[in-house]
Amino acid sequence: MISVLQVPELNKLIPLAKAFIAESTEDIPFNEEHFIKTWEQVYLSKNGSILKYEKDGEIIGALGYLVYPDFLSGELKATETFWFIKPEFRGCGFKLLDEFEKVSKELGVKRIMMAHLKHLMPDKLKSVYLKRGYREIETQYEKVV
């Protein structure tokens, strides 16, 4: 079942975040306290939310997103900040993406931004995004300083 994660449930996402980081081959810093405080602020500002996917009372996946006016056009934009499904449930996680797209339309969003980490299923996710009508518009680079 997919629903909106409530603020008191934020700590339930910590195991998912840690599993995502463990699956990654990149050095992804994670600060549990900061994660929770940041999302509390996002919820307070009403500039985003987290969709959770529960099965038998367990959160098996989640998709976090921000909603804001585009800096150039002013059009409302939604940007995915994370999307993770436990590996044993992969495939059914597209229901989270479906719900994210539905909620975005209901909010009056004009453009949705999705991302993927270069080292985690890039070809598979690129194919999924293209089939769903997304287009590739940017590649990001990071430098640790």
Side-chain angles (χ1 to χ4, degrees), residues 69-94:
D70 181 78
F71 296 99
L72 298 174
S73 69
E75 292 179 335
L76 204 54
K77 184 180 274 190
T79 298
E80 165 252 338
T81 59
F82 67 86
W83 178 27
F84 184 76
I85 305 294
K86 288 185 173 184
E88 62 270 28
F89 296 102
R90 299 252 163 95
C92 67
F94 292 113

Side-chain angles (χ1 to χ4, degrees), residues 11-26 28-32 35 58-62 82-90 117 119-121:
N11 63 331
K12 293 181 180 180
L13 292 182
I14 301 303
L16 278 177
K18 288 182 176 180
F20 170 75
I21 290 166
E23 188 175 349
S24 172
T25 59
E26 295 292 322
I28 300 173
F30 181 64
N31 179 315
E32 296 175 25
F35 176 84
E58 174 190 5
I59 298 176
I60 62 166
F82 67 86
W83 178 27
F84 184 76
I85 305 294
K86 288 185 173 184
E88 62 270 28
F89 296 102
R90 299 252 163 95
L117 292 175
H119 63 281
L120 285 179
M121 301 183 294

Side-chain angles (χ1 to χ4, degrees), residues 24-78:
S24 172
T25 59
E26 295 292 322
D27 178 23
I28 300 173
F30 181 64
N31 179 315
E32 296 175 25
E33 184 178 318
H34 177 73
F35 176 84
I36 290 172
K37 284 183 179 182
T38 298
W39 278 102
E40 287 172 344
Q41 290 301 310
V42 169
Y43 272 73
L44 272 174
S45 69
K46 299 183 183 335
N47 289 328
S49 190
I50 299 172
L51 299 171
K52 65 178 177 177
Y53 192 151
E54 283 185 296
K55 187 170 183 144
D56 300 324
E58 174 190 5
I59 298 176
I60 62 166
L63 188 153
Y65 63 92
L66 300 174
V67 177
Y68 56 93
D70 181 78
F71 296 99
L72 298 174
S73 69
E75 292 179 335
L76 204 54
K77 184 180 274 190

